[in-house]
Amino acid sequence: MLPPKITGNKNVNESILIAIALGVICTLGPLKIDFAAGLPTTLQSLLVVWFAQAFGLRVGLTSVLAYLVLGGLGFGVFSGGASGWQHFIGSNGGFLLAFPVGAFIAGSLAQIASTFALFTKAKLISSSFILFISQTAILALGLIWQSMLVGETISLGIIMDIFLPGLLIKTAIGTLALVIITRGLTRIKS
């Protein structure tokens, strides 16, 4: 999806898109959903990669970094309305620190995919793949962080049972949102 052109000025467009992305991430990021085994799943990892994929690497990465700074400064935008710099060194710190990595992966892969006709024709599949890969990177880095803090590793079977359902559901939600918004913008333009 190409970022929508709101004005004739690229910097103004990007600033508006950053504000929109930041507003949505800060609003929906704190929400928790229980998918499996009583483990809360948040939309944070989906949102930080979704905006990088939909609006481009610069917009996505800037909005994610602003989100992390706002949360660190005390705005209750992290999971469950949490905030503060201490969350960056706690058990969930690896997930927070991996958000810019996930946004970078999503934005970069989307940029690369837009240059190949095969990926632009198979937009649904390539979008799903990009969302899945970038969220998986966040999950892997977050779990590595947790295992280093706790001193125990989590088995692949437990990861598949506990985290995969939420990851797949978030990927499906993100893909559907991209398709719906892309089609809506296409109809508005025509």
Side-chain angles (χ1 to χ4, degrees):
M1 178 170 138
L2 292 172
K5 292 183 170 111
I6 302 165
T7 69
N9 185 315
K10 180 183 177 187
N11 292 330
V12 173
N13 283 346
E14 286 185 348
S15 297
I16 292 169
L17 293 174
I18 289 167
I20 291 169
L22 183 59
V24 172
I25 295 169
C26 289
T27 302
L28 298 178
L31 301 177
K32 291 182 181 182
I33 304 165
D34 281 334
F35 285 128
L39 183 72
T41 301
T42 66
L43 296 175
Q44 293 169 311
S45 66
L46 170 61
L47 295 170
V48 299
V49 300
W50 192 91
F51 284 107
Q53 180 177 356
F55 294 160
L57 180 59
R58 275 178 28 153
V59 170
L61 200 52
T62 303
S63 61
V64 169
L65 292 172
Y67 165 73
L68 293 174
V69 169
L70 286 175
L73 290 173
F75 293 89
V77 295
F78 294 153
S79 176
S83 65
W85 297 112
Q86 72 276 10
H87 291 284
F88 289 93
I89 57 172
S91 63
N92 291 327
F95 296 102
L96 293 174
L97 295 171
F99 286 165
V101 175
F104 179 81
I105 291 169
S108 298
L109 289 177
Q111 189 173 4
I112 292 167
S114 69
T115 62
F116 292 100
L118 173 66
F119 292 122
T120 56
K121 288 180 182 176
K123 188 129 189 100
L124 181 68
I125 294 169
S126 62
S127 295
S128 296
F129 180 73
I130 291 168
L131 289 173
F132 183 79
I133 292 298
S134 52
Q135 288 183 93
T136 301
I138 292 171
L139 179 62
L141 291 171
L143 291 174
I144 290 169
W145 178 280
Q146 280 185 340
S147 68
M148 287 184 348
L149 282 179
V150 175
E152 295 179 20
T153 58
I154 302 171
S155 74
L156 185 59
I158 291 174
I159 292 171
M160 298 294 277
D161 288 344
I162 293 176
F163 295 105
L164 188 61
L167 185 62
L168 291 174
I169 290 170
K170 290 190 294 184
T171 299
I173 291 169
T175 303
L176 288 173
L178 277 171
V179 169
I180 291 168
I181 291 171
T182 301
R183 287 184 181 168
L185 289 174
T186 303
R187 286 194 176 132
I188 289 171
K189 287 179 185 175
S190 63

